[in-house]
Amino acid sequence: MKVVVSIGGSVLAPDLGSERVRAHADVIEDLAAEGCTVGTVVGGGGVAREYIGAARELGANEIELDDIGIDVTRLNARLLIAALGEQAAPSPPEDYEAAGAAMHRGDIAVMGGVTPGQTTDAVSAALAEYVNADLLVYATSVPGVFSDDPNEVADARRYDELTAGELVDVIAGLEMNAGSSAPVDLLAAKLIERSGVRTIVLDGTEPERIADAVRYGDHDGTDIIPEGADDQMTYWASDER
Ligand code: UTP
């Protein structure tokens, strides 16, 4: 099975502590040892926001700010690479071709951002499309896709299951409300719809949840099921990995 795991920066390194990074690396290593081909994409988290905030005050333009954000995502990727050691490609691939080549060689690819004007949500979906992944997992700090921002709206409803088209509609609605944060952004949702990749959005703060989702399809988040696909992947049903 080929899987792309997207780990938000605030999930991987909320305080730059090594333990969380180590715990995520252990899970990724286990999946690779069980025969999964794994690509990971790491976000920038609070550190990226701080750098971007300071540089904005200093007069940097939006593209320059994005480039700073990309640099921080790659720094975070290097933390995960440090924990994975020789199993990972030694530096964050800077494009999909390099990431795909690393995975093809049998290395774990750990990327950050790629190009200004987007986030690592879209990078993850594009990598999944590029390598023709069986599964894309977003390990976020929100436990799934909600009808409203659960931090803002008390009766926000979590969706157990959405089609990719429904995901696009839900995220477009959320992004209309200024200030509300969606667990996956609209460009990523559109790439998921285009590629038809099976996707799970879950709370990744406990890395074992990522492993259960990849191994068995077990999770408390949201399943994004491409139109026309079975809700059970053959891979889960047959116990093949
Ligand atoms: P993130 O993917 O972490 O963005 O990249 P985010 O969604 O704003 O962060 P979270 O989810 O709250 O942690 C950090 C920043 O890096 C730039 C963007 O400015 C983004 O906000 N970036 C990242 C790019 O410009 N291009 C990329 O491909 C990736």
Side-chain angles (χ1 to χ4, degrees), residues 7-11 42-46 48-49 52 62-63 65-73 76 96 112-123 141 182-183 185:
I7 309 178
S10 49
V11 169
V42 176
R49 275 192 293 278
I52 288 171
E62 291 301 314
I63 298 291
L65 297 178
D66 282 344
D67 278 331
I68 289 173
I70 292 170
D71 282 346
V72 177
T73 62
N76 282 341
Y96 303 109
V114 168
T115 188
Q118 59 176 32
T119 72
T120 51
D121 291 350
V123 174
S141 48
D185 63 26

Side-chain angles (χ1 to χ4, degrees), residues 43-238:
V47 179
R49 275 192 293 278
E50 281 182 38
Y51 267 87
I52 288 171
R56 182 174 277 128
E57 282 173 24
L58 293 167
N61 66 40
E62 291 301 314
I63 298 291
E64 289 169 329
L65 297 178
D66 282 344
D67 278 331
I68 289 173
I70 292 170
D71 282 346
V72 177
T73 62
R74 290 182 179 158
L75 264 183
N76 282 341
R78 283 188 186 275
L79 278 182
L80 188 57
I81 289 170
L84 288 168
E86 288 188 355
Q87 300 192 61
S91 59
E94 298 192 356
D95 57 38
Y96 303 109
E97 195 176 328
M103 290 167 72
H104 195 72
R105 280 197 306 272
D107 286 346
I108 300 169
V110 186
M111 309 182 73
V114 168
T115 188
Q118 59 176 32
T119 72
T120 51
D121 291 350
V123 174
S124 309
L127 178 61
E129 183 169 26
Y130 184 80
V131 300
N132 199 16
D134 301 291
L135 181 66
L136 167 62
V137 178
Y138 284 97
T140 74
S141 48
V142 187
V145 181
F146 284 75
S147 55
D148 288 285
D149 186 340
N151 297 317
E152 303 289 328
V153 179
D155 61 355
R157 191 166 63 85
R158 182 174 55 75
Y159 299 103
D160 290 336
E161 204 176 291
L162 291 170
T163 65
E166 288 168 341
L167 176 72
V168 169
D169 291 344
V170 170
I171 300 296
L174 286 174
E175 290 196 356
M176 294 280 287
N177 302 331
S180 85
S181 64
V184 174
D185 63 26
L186 189 56
L187 178 56
K190 288 188 170 171
L191 291 172
I192 290 168
E193 185 183 33
R194 177 176 86 173
S195 68
V197 63
R198 175 71 188 247
T199 302
I200 296 171
V201 180
L202 51 72
D203 175 355
T205 48
E206 293 290 332
E208 268 306 320
R209 293 191 186 141
I210 302 171
D212 287 345
V214 174
R215 287 190 189 117
Y216 317 116
D218 286 350
H219 62 88
D220 293 327
T222 302
D223 272 310
I224 316 298
I225 301 174
E227 278 83 351
D230 274 349
D231 63 349
Q232 273 278 331
M233 291 209 295
T234 17
Y235 150 85
W236 288 324
S238 68

